[in-house]
Amino acid sequence: MPDTTTPTRPSSRPTVLVTGATGNLGREVVDRLRTQGARVRCLVRDLAGAPPEAEPVTGDLTDPAAFRQALDGVDAVFLIWPLLDSAPAHGLLAELAAAAPRLVHLSSAAVEDGSARQTDPIVQVHADMEALLHGAGLRPVVLRSDTLASNARGWKRQLAAGDVVSGPQAARTAVVDERDVADAAVAVLLADHADRDHGPYVLTGPEILGRAEQVAQLGAALRRDLRFEALPAARARARMLADGLPEPLADALVAAAERRPDSPRVTDHVRRLTGHPAGTFARWAADHAAEFGRRDP
């Protein structure tokens, strides 16, 4: 079981490489690392999109040469694998093995240990990446995150047009605030003891929610009467493509909606790693209401 000791910040100033630094979670990780005095490096395809507070290296995780450059002098790495296929990760594994930084890997709470195959393509690639990292002898600290609250930002286009969010009927899960996941990641990245339990830590929010409940809670924060409309697979796919998602991702999300079961699991691993309890989706919605155009009373 994961330990209950909240890690302390090391005395020296570490350099941390953050992958996925331009995403919802990655930006939160970068902000916290900088606040705690770490040097932050990020690997980005486009320098224009790099967080201004981080040192950018141009490239991506499928480019071993760029990744080698990004790893130079790095003490720790926060790894998010962005692809729907783990095969291109082999070059990355060799570079990580050579550099030997502390490694924190973001995976999925839906991974089922011991299962020959996972429920859907998205969970399968997370399980494959965990296996590849361990098989390469890297011993990452694995953080398995439940559904991120920030996924609700994908509804902005629909909410700008009306009060209905339509999409596939996803599994009910303990939706977790990405800020809590970032707090947990940074706590491990900056821990000054190397013998920490490597997990996996399963990071969840405090309550099980379906899409309809999330939309209703977001509506309360926006002072709007919002509702969720579940769509059959073909229409859900068309809706996601209209919202700008790439076709392979839309297909994977539809497969996840059809195959992934509800999860009743709620853990205290956010508190174990950070010292504070996980926040609710309602709190996330209230804190981010301005992004969605909250109506004044």
Side-chain angles (χ1 to χ4, degrees):
M1 286 294 295
D3 66 26
T4 58
T5 303
T6 301
T8 56
R9 186 171 50 183
S11 56
S12 59
R13 189 182 180 198
T15 299
V16 181
L17 172 63
V18 177
T19 68
T22 60
N24 290 320
L25 174 59
R27 286 187 180 275
E28 297 290 347
V29 172
V30 169
D31 288 346
R32 283 156 176 75
L33 287 169
R34 292 290 293 169
T35 297
Q36 296 196 42
R39 298 181 181 92
V40 182
R41 189 174 297 162
C42 60
L43 185 66
V44 293
R45 289 190 179 91
D46 183 0
L47 291 177
E53 61 272 29
E55 173 195 349
V57 174
T58 305
D60 62 45
L61 293 174
T62 65
D63 181 350
F67 193 55
R68 185 182 313 122
Q69 178 186 354
L71 284 172
D72 184 37
V74 160
D75 300 291
V77 175
F78 180 59
L79 176 63
I80 300 176
W81 182 250
L83 304 180
L84 291 171
D85 180 7
S86 63
H90 288 284
L92 171 147
L93 299 178
E95 299 301 334
L96 283 170
R102 173 177 296 167
L103 178 61
V104 178
H105 173 56
L106 185 75
S107 185
S108 168
V111 169
E112 290 289 341
D113 291 319
S115 294
R117 297 296 297 174
Q118 302 295 323
T119 56
D120 59 80
I122 295 173
V123 182
Q124 186 63 54
V125 76
H126 284 296
D128 290 344
M129 282 300 300
E130 288 189 29
L132 286 173
L133 291 168
H134 287 296
L138 292 168
R139 299 191 71 237
V141 177
V142 175
L143 305 180
R144 290 180 177 172
S145 172
D146 217 320
T147 305
L148 293 175
S150 56
N151 289 353
R153 289 187 169 117
W155 304 334
K156 283 184 179 180
R157 182 177 297 184
Q158 294 188 60
L159 292 177
D163 291 334
V164 177
V165 172
S166 60
Q169 184 64 274
R172 290 170 52 81
T173 66
V175 178
V176 62
D177 191 324
E178 72 278 3
R179 296 172 296 184
D180 291 332
V181 177
D183 285 343
V186 170
V188 180
L189 286 164
L190 299 185
D192 62 358
H193 51 285
D195 58 348
R196 162 168 290 282
D197 188 314
H198 285 230
Y201 294 90
V202 180
L203 307 179
T204 77
E207 58 183 338
I208 309 296
L209 298 173
R211 286 281 175 84
E213 292 155 308
Q214 284 182 263
V215 170
Q217 290 186 16
L218 181 59
L222 300 180
R223 303 188 182 99
R224 294 170 60 181
D225 184 17
L226 304 183
R227 64 181 178 87
F228 175 70
E229 178 188 13
L231 298 179
R235 288 183 60 199
R237 181 179 184 275
R239 173 76 266 175
M240 287 187 279
L241 293 175
D243 286 343
L245 268 64
E247 187 172 352
L249 179 56
D251 290 339
L253 290 171
V254 168
E258 291 180 321
R259 303 176 198 169
R260 194 178 303 177
D262 292 347
S263 172
R265 188 172 190 182
V266 174
T267 77
D268 67 346
H269 293 184
V270 167
R271 182 189 61 76
R272 292 187 181 194
L273 288 173
T274 69
H276 65 72
T280 64
F281 180 78
R283 184 192 71 175
W284 183 93
D287 290 347
H288 295 85
E291 296 182 28
F292 296 85
R294 176 170 59 190
R295 294 173 180 170
D296 294 328

